[in-house]
Amino acid sequence: MLPLPEVTWLTLLEHQERQPAERAALAEVWEDHDLVFPSERGTPMEPTNLSRSFARLRETAGLPGVRLHDLRHTVVSLLMELGVPPHVVQAIARHADVKITLKVYAHANLDAMRLALGKLDGKLS
């Protein structure tokens, strides 16, 4: 089973509950491929169509111009900022090596640097 945040599981369950009605409405053209996010006909979604669909959803939600792949980068960056061990982040991101995770996503933010250097205050005085 794929580990996901609870909010994601709940959203996927809601999506699953809506799917039978969507399939029934398109019964004459529907091709069932047992996909979570199929095209409007049930077939695998083409990457460019997926990007267009995401852009429409993003615009409807009033979100800034981000690509679908940017969401992956954001999640991995947030996990690193939250102090999740790099090997766990690597497994979630499905990187082949933890070095990739550390090289691409180990952004040291200003608050994290202050916190780290603040730990030295008691040791150096």
Side-chain angles (χ1 to χ4, degrees):
M1 184 185 314
L2 180 66
L4 294 170
E6 184 177 356
V7 66
T8 305
W9 274 116
L10 294 174
T11 302
L12 286 171
L13 287 173
E14 290 172 10
H15 175 66
Q16 185 179 33
E17 289 172 7
R18 287 189 309 268
Q19 282 185 313
E22 293 171 0
R23 287 180 181 144
L26 297 165
E28 54 207 40
V29 295
W30 187 263
E31 295 179 34
D32 195 5
H33 291 267
D34 197 31
L35 300 170
V36 177
F37 297 105
S39 72
E40 292 178 355
R41 299 173 58 99
T43 57
M45 195 177 290
E46 293 292 328
T48 54
N49 291 339
L50 177 61
S51 294
R52 276 195 293 265
S53 293
F54 175 73
R56 280 193 302 273
L57 289 171
R58 179 188 50 72
E59 289 167 8
T60 300
L63 298 174
V66 295
R67 299 168 300 147
L68 189 56
H69 186 79
D70 296 334
L71 299 180
R72 170 188 164 87
H73 183 77
T74 299
V75 167
V76 174
S77 295
L78 286 171
L79 290 171
M80 295 294 288
E81 280 185 30
L82 290 169
V84 174
H87 71 281
V88 174
V89 177
Q90 174 220 349
I92 291 169
R94 306 276 196 234
H95 290 145
D97 192 312
V98 73
K99 291 176 189 172
I100 295 168
T101 309
L102 292 171
K103 181 179 179 183
V104 176
Y105 293 99
H107 308 286
N109 69 33
L110 193 54
D111 290 336
M113 289 188 280
R114 285 186 182 123
L115 182 64
L117 292 171
K119 292 179 181 184
L120 290 175
D121 285 339
K123 300 289 184 187
L124 298 176
S125 50

PDB file of all heavy atoms in Angstrom, residues 72 75-81 83-95 98 101-102 105:
ATOM      1  N   ARG A  72       5.486  18.055  -6.519  1.00  0.00           N
ATOM      2  CA  ARG A  72       6.399  17.017  -6.008  1.00  0.00           C
ATOM      3  C   ARG A  72       7.599  17.681  -5.336  1.00  0.00           C
ATOM      4  O   ARG A  72       7.983  17.312  -4.236  1.00  0.00           O
ATOM      5  CB  ARG A  72       6.852  16.120  -7.159  1.00  0.00           C
ATOM      6  CG  ARG A  72       7.966  15.164  -6.812  1.00  0.00           C
ATOM      7  CD  ARG A  72       8.470  14.456  -8.076  1.00  0.00           C
ATOM      8  NE  ARG A  72       9.747  13.826  -7.897  1.00  0.00           N
ATOM      9  CZ  ARG A  72       9.921  12.609  -7.428  1.00  0.00           C
ATOM     10  NH1 ARG A  72       8.888  11.882  -7.073  1.00  0.00           N
ATOM     11  NH2 ARG A  72      11.126  12.095  -7.293  1.00  0.00           N
ATOM     12  N   VAL A  75       6.561  19.156  -1.957  1.00  0.00           N
ATOM     13  CA  VAL A  75       6.383  18.157  -0.897  1.00  0.00           C
ATOM     14  C   VAL A  75       7.731  17.672  -0.377  1.00  0.00           C
ATOM     15  O   VAL A  75       7.957  17.607   0.832  1.00  0.00           O
ATOM     16  CB  VAL A  75       5.525  16.967  -1.402  1.00  0.00           C
ATOM     17  CG1 VAL A  75       5.593  15.788  -0.436  1.00  0.00           C
ATOM     18  CG2 VAL A  75       4.095  17.416  -1.594  1.00  0.00           C
ATOM     19  N   VAL A  76       8.640  17.353  -1.273  1.00  0.00           N
ATOM     20  CA  VAL A  76       9.945  16.853  -0.849  1.00  0.00           C
ATOM     21  C   VAL A  76      10.702  17.938  -0.078  1.00  0.00           C
ATOM     22  O   VAL A  76      11.302  17.667   0.962  1.00  0.00           O
ATOM     23  CB  VAL A  76      10.755  16.325  -2.051  1.00  0.00           C
ATOM     24  CG1 VAL A  76      12.159  15.933  -1.638  1.00  0.00           C
ATOM     25  CG2 VAL A  76      10.042  15.137  -2.678  1.00  0.00           C
ATOM     26  N   SER A  77      10.642  19.173  -0.545  1.00  0.00           N
ATOM     27  CA  SER A  77      11.308  20.283   0.162  1.00  0.00           C
ATOM     28  C   SER A  77      10.714  20.476   1.555  1.00  0.00           C
ATOM     29  O   SER A  77      11.452  20.684   2.521  1.00  0.00           O
ATOM     30  CB  SER A  77      11.189  21.581  -0.641  1.00  0.00           C
ATOM     31  OG  SER A  77      11.890  21.473  -1.858  1.00  0.00           O
ATOM     32  N   LEU A  78       9.383  20.407   1.664  1.00  0.00           N
ATOM     33  CA  LEU A  78       8.737  20.562   2.973  1.00  0.00           C
ATOM     34  C   LEU A  78       9.128  19.433   3.921  1.00  0.00           C
ATOM     35  O   LEU A  78       9.377  19.674   5.118  1.00  0.00           O
ATOM     36  CB  LEU A  78       7.218  20.609   2.819  1.00  0.00           C
ATOM     37  CG  LEU A  78       6.641  21.897   2.263  1.00  0.00           C
ATOM     38  CD1 LEU A  78       5.148  21.729   1.961  1.00  0.00           C
ATOM     39  CD2 LEU A  78       6.861  23.053   3.226  1.00  0.00           C
ATOM     40  N   LEU A  79       9.189  18.218   3.418  1.00  0.00           N
ATOM     41  CA  LEU A  79       9.609  17.100   4.262  1.00  0.00           C
ATOM     42  C   LEU A  79      11.018  17.319   4.791  1.00  0.00           C
ATOM     43  O   LEU A  79      11.296  17.064   5.972  1.00  0.00           O
ATOM     44  CB  LEU A  79       9.524  15.784   3.492  1.00  0.00           C
ATOM     45  CG  LEU A  79       8.120  15.282   3.181  1.00  0.00           C
ATOM     46  CD1 LEU A  79       8.177  14.088   2.221  1.00  0.00           C
ATOM     47  CD2 LEU A  79       7.361  14.920   4.449  1.00  0.00           C
ATOM     48  N   MET A  80      11.905  17.806   3.935  1.00  0.00           N
ATOM     49  CA  MET A  80      13.277  18.089   4.373  1.00  0.00           C
ATOM     50  C   MET A  80      13.281  19.193   5.437  1.00  0.00           C
ATOM     51  O   MET A  80      13.962  19.085   6.449  1.00  0.00           O
ATOM     52  CB  MET A  80      14.154  18.476   3.179  1.00  0.00           C
ATOM     53  CG  MET A  80      14.370  17.374   2.161  1.00  0.00           C
ATOM     54  SD  MET A  80      15.317  15.958   2.771  1.00  0.00           S
ATOM     55  CE  MET A  80      16.941  16.684   2.866  1.00  0.00           C
ATOM     56  N   GLU A  81      12.497  20.265   5.207  1.00  0.00           N
ATOM     57  CA  GLU A  81      12.422  21.367   6.171  1.00  0.00           C
ATOM     58  C   GLU A  81      11.845  20.916   7.501  1.00  0.00           C
ATOM     59  O   GLU A  81      12.197  21.449   8.553  1.00  0.00           O
ATOM     60  CB  GLU A  81      11.571  22.508   5.623  1.00  0.00           C
ATOM     61  CG  GLU A  81      12.297  23.398   4.656  1.00  0.00           C
ATOM     62  CD  GLU A  81      11.449  24.602   4.236  1.00  0.00           C
ATOM     63  OE1 GLU A  81      10.616  25.064   5.044  1.00  0.00           O
ATOM     64  OE2 GLU A  81      11.620  25.059   3.106  1.00  0.00           O
ATOM     65  N   GLY A  83      12.408  18.244   8.905  1.00  0.00           N
ATOM     66  CA  GLY A  83      13.381  17.411   9.603  1.00  0.00           C
ATOM     67  C   GLY A  83      13.180  15.916   9.421  1.00  0.00           C
ATOM     68  O   GLY A  83      13.707  15.117  10.188  1.00  0.00           O
ATOM     69  N   VAL A  84      12.412  15.536   8.404  1.00  0.00           N
ATOM     70  CA  VAL A  84      12.236  14.106   8.117  1.00  0.00           C
ATOM     71  C   VAL A  84      13.595  13.569   7.670  1.00  0.00           C
ATOM     72  O   VAL A  84      14.277  14.204   6.853  1.00  0.00           O
ATOM     73  CB  VAL A  84      11.153  13.894   7.032  1.00  0.00           C
ATOM     74  CG1 VAL A  84      11.059  12.429   6.631  1.00  0.00           C
ATOM     75  CG2 VAL A  84       9.811  14.421   7.518  1.00  0.00           C
ATOM     76  N   PRO A  85      14.035  12.433   8.214  1.00  0.00           N
ATOM     77  CA  PRO A  85      15.343  11.902   7.830  1.00  0.00           C
ATOM     78  C   PRO A  85      15.470  11.739   6.314  1.00  0.00           C
ATOM     79  O   PRO A  85      14.525  11.287   5.652  1.00  0.00           O
ATOM     80  CB  PRO A  85      15.394  10.543   8.540  1.00  0.00           C
ATOM     81  CG  PRO A  85      14.466  10.688   9.701  1.00  0.00           C
ATOM     82  CD  PRO A  85      13.361  11.597   9.203  1.00  0.00           C
ATOM     83  N   PRO A  86      16.621  12.127   5.769  1.00  0.00           N
ATOM     84  CA  PRO A  86      16.813  12.074   4.315  1.00  0.00           C
ATOM     85  C   PRO A  86      16.520  10.719   3.690  1.00  0.00           C
ATOM     86  O   PRO A  86      15.976  10.648   2.592  1.00  0.00           O
ATOM     87  CB  PRO A  86      18.278  12.463   4.126  1.00  0.00           C
ATOM     88  CG  PRO A  86      18.579  13.315   5.312  1.00  0.00           C
ATOM     89  CD  PRO A  86      17.786  12.724   6.446  1.00  0.00           C
ATOM     90  N   HIS A  87      16.842   9.633   4.384  1.00  0.00           N
ATOM     91  CA  HIS A  87      16.581   8.313   3.786  1.00  0.00           C
ATOM     92  C   HIS A  87      15.075   8.034   3.675  1.00  0.00           C
ATOM     93  O   HIS A  87      14.651   7.325   2.769  1.00  0.00           O
ATOM     94  CB  HIS A  87      17.300   7.203   4.563  1.00  0.00           C
ATOM     95  CG  HIS A  87      16.733   6.910   5.911  1.00  0.00           C
ATOM     96  ND1 HIS A  87      16.994   7.708   7.013  1.00  0.00           N
ATOM     97  CD2 HIS A  87      15.902   5.935   6.334  1.00  0.00           C
ATOM     98  CE1 HIS A  87      16.348   7.221   8.059  1.00  0.00           C
ATOM     99  NE2 HIS A  87      15.678   6.153   7.676  1.00  0.00           N
ATOM    100  N   VAL A  88      14.274   8.619   4.559  1.00  0.00           N
ATOM    101  CA  VAL A  88      12.821   8.465   4.476  1.00  0.00           C
ATOM    102  C   VAL A  88      12.288   9.311   3.314  1.00  0.00           C
ATOM    103  O   VAL A  88      11.459   8.860   2.529  1.00  0.00           O
ATOM    104  CB  VAL A  88      12.145   8.856   5.810  1.00  0.00           C
ATOM    105  CG1 VAL A  88      10.627   8.835   5.684  1.00  0.00           C
ATOM    106  CG2 VAL A  88      12.612   7.933   6.936  1.00  0.00           C
ATOM    107  N   VAL A  89      12.800  10.536   3.190  1.00  0.00           N
ATOM    108  CA  VAL A  89      12.403  11.404   2.079  1.00  0.00           C
ATOM    109  C   VAL A  89      12.793  10.747   0.753  1.00  0.00           C
ATOM    110  O   VAL A  89      12.026  10.759  -0.203  1.00  0.00           O
ATOM    111  CB  VAL A  89      13.026  12.811   2.211  1.00  0.00           C
ATOM    112  CG1 VAL A  89      12.675  13.675   1.013  1.00  0.00           C
ATOM    113  CG2 VAL A  89      12.576  13.481   3.502  1.00  0.00           C
ATOM    114  N   GLN A  90      13.968  10.154   0.709  1.00  0.00           N
ATOM    115  CA  GLN A  90      14.428   9.459  -0.492  1.00  0.00           C
ATOM    116  C   GLN A  90      13.450   8.355  -0.876  1.00  0.00           C
ATOM    117  O   GLN A  90      13.076   8.213  -2.045  1.00  0.00           O
ATOM    118  CB  GLN A  90      15.811   8.850  -0.267  1.00  0.00           C
ATOM    119  CG  GLN A  90      16.292   7.986  -1.409  1.00  0.00           C
ATOM    120  CD  GLN A  90      17.016   6.729  -0.971  1.00  0.00           C
ATOM    121  OE1 GLN A  90      17.350   6.571   0.198  1.00  0.00           O
ATOM    122  NE2 GLN A  90      17.251   5.831  -1.903  1.00  0.00           N
ATOM    123  N   ALA A  91      12.989   7.580   0.104  1.00  0.00           N
ATOM    124  CA  ALA A  91      12.052   6.492  -0.170  1.00  0.00           C
ATOM    125  C   ALA A  91      10.710   7.040  -0.675  1.00  0.00           C
ATOM    126  O   ALA A  91      10.124   6.488  -1.606  1.00  0.00           O
ATOM    127  CB  ALA A  91      11.844   5.650   1.086  1.00  0.00           C
ATOM    128  N   ILE A  92      10.235   8.118  -0.073  1.00  0.00           N
ATOM    129  CA  ILE A  92       8.973   8.720  -0.493  1.00  0.00           C
ATOM    130  C   ILE A  92       9.088   9.249  -1.923  1.00  0.00           C
ATOM    131  O   ILE A  92       8.195   9.059  -2.740  1.00  0.00           O
ATOM    132  CB  ILE A  92       8.557   9.840   0.480  1.00  0.00           C
ATOM    133  CG1 ILE A  92       8.170   9.225   1.826  1.00  0.00           C
ATOM    134  CG2 ILE A  92       7.430  10.689  -0.092  1.00  0.00           C
ATOM    135  CD1 ILE A  92       8.000  10.234   2.950  1.00  0.00           C
ATOM    136  N   ALA A  93      10.210   9.921  -2.212  1.00  0.00           N
ATOM    137  CA  ALA A  93      10.417  10.501  -3.541  1.00  0.00           C
ATOM    138  C   ALA A  93      10.812   9.458  -4.580  1.00  0.00           C
ATOM    139  O   ALA A  93      10.830   9.744  -5.777  1.00  0.00           O
ATOM    140  CB  ALA A  93      11.496  11.591  -3.464  1.00  0.00           C
ATOM    141  N   ARG A  94      11.131   8.253  -4.113  1.00  0.00           N
ATOM    142  CA  ARG A  94      11.549   7.168  -4.999  1.00  0.00           C
ATOM    143  C   ARG A  94      12.841   7.494  -5.748  1.00  0.00           C
ATOM    144  O   ARG A  94      13.016   7.130  -6.907  1.00  0.00           O
ATOM    145  CB  ARG A  94      10.460   6.791  -6.000  1.00  0.00           C
ATOM    146  CG  ARG A  94       9.129   6.449  -5.383  1.00  0.00           C
ATOM    147  CD  ARG A  94       9.101   5.005  -4.939  1.00  0.00           C
ATOM    148  NE  ARG A  94       7.735   4.581  -4.695  1.00  0.00           N
ATOM    149  CZ  ARG A  94       7.334   4.033  -3.549  1.00  0.00           C
ATOM    150  NH1 ARG A  94       8.196   3.847  -2.580  1.00  0.00           N
ATOM    151  NH2 ARG A  94       6.094   3.666  -3.380  1.00  0.00           N
ATOM    152  N   HIS A  95      13.728   8.216  -5.051  1.00  0.00           N
ATOM    153  CA  HIS A  95      15.049   8.467  -5.642  1.00  0.00           C
ATOM    154  C   HIS A  95      15.892   7.206  -5.511  1.00  0.00           C
ATOM    155  O   HIS A  95      15.795   6.499  -4.507  1.00  0.00           O
ATOM    156  CB  HIS A  95      15.758   9.620  -4.923  1.00  0.00           C
ATOM    157  CG  HIS A  95      15.131  10.950  -5.181  1.00  0.00           C
ATOM    158  ND1 HIS A  95      15.073  11.942  -4.240  1.00  0.00           N
ATOM    159  CD2 HIS A  95      14.534  11.460  -6.278  1.00  0.00           C
ATOM    160  CE1 HIS A  95      14.465  12.996  -4.736  1.00  0.00           C
ATOM    161  NE2 HIS A  95      14.129  12.731  -5.978  1.00  0.00           N
ATOM    162  N   VAL A  98      20.134   8.320  -1.898  1.00  0.00           N
ATOM    163  CA  VAL A  98      19.895   9.445  -0.987  1.00  0.00           C
ATOM    164  C   VAL A  98      20.729  10.664  -1.377  1.00  0.00           C
ATOM    165  O   VAL A  98      20.359  11.806  -1.084  1.00  0.00           O
ATOM    166  CB  VAL A  98      20.139   9.030   0.485  1.00  0.00           C
ATOM    167  CG1 VAL A  98      21.636   8.870   0.781  1.00  0.00           C
ATOM    168  CG2 VAL A  98      19.493  10.016   1.450  1.00  0.00           C
ATOM    169  N   THR A 101      18.607  12.993  -3.359  1.00  0.00           N
ATOM    170  CA  THR A 101      17.703  13.735  -2.485  1.00  0.00           C
ATOM    171  C   THR A 101      18.432  14.890  -1.823  1.00  0.00           C
ATOM    172  O   THR A 101      17.939  16.026  -1.818  1.00  0.00           O
ATOM    173  CB  THR A 101      17.116  12.800  -1.408  1.00  0.00           C
ATOM    174  OG1 THR A 101      16.571  11.643  -2.043  1.00  0.00           O
ATOM    175  CG2 THR A 101      16.046  13.504  -0.593  1.00  0.00           C
ATOM    176  N   LEU A 102      19.595  14.616  -1.276  1.00  0.00           N
ATOM    177  CA  LEU A 102      20.354  15.652  -0.568  1.00  0.00           C
ATOM    178  C   LEU A 102      20.862  16.729  -1.514  1.00  0.00           C
ATOM    179  O   LEU A 102      20.841  17.913  -1.179  1.00  0.00           O
ATOM    180  CB  LEU A 102      21.508  15.018   0.207  1.00  0.00           C
ATOM    181  CG  LEU A 102      21.073  14.151   1.389  1.00  0.00           C
ATOM    182  CD1 LEU A 102      22.259  13.389   1.959  1.00  0.00           C
ATOM    183  CD2 LEU A 102      20.391  14.983   2.454  1.00  0.00           C
ATOM    184  N   TYR A 105      17.416  18.598  -2.981  1.00  0.00           N
ATOM    185  CA  TYR A 105      16.398  19.134  -2.098  1.00  0.00           C
ATOM    186  C   TYR A 105      16.886  19.665  -0.758  1.00  0.00           C
ATOM    187  O   TYR A 105      16.080  20.159   0.021  1.00  0.00           O
ATOM    188  CB  TYR A 105      15.330  18.074  -1.835  1.00  0.00           C
ATOM    189  CG  TYR A 105      14.544  17.745  -3.071  1.00  0.00           C
ATOM    190  CD1 TYR A 105      14.841  16.630  -3.837  1.00  0.00           C
ATOM    191  CD2 TYR A 105      13.508  18.567  -3.487  1.00  0.00           C
ATOM    192  CE1 TYR A 105      14.109  16.332  -4.971  1.00  0.00           C
ATOM    193  CE2 TYR A 105      12.778  18.278  -4.618  1.00  0.00           C
ATOM    194  CZ  TYR A 105      13.090  17.166  -5.356  1.00  0.00           C
ATOM    195  OH  TYR A 105      12.364  16.886  -6.479  1.00  0.00           O
TER     196      TYR A 105
END
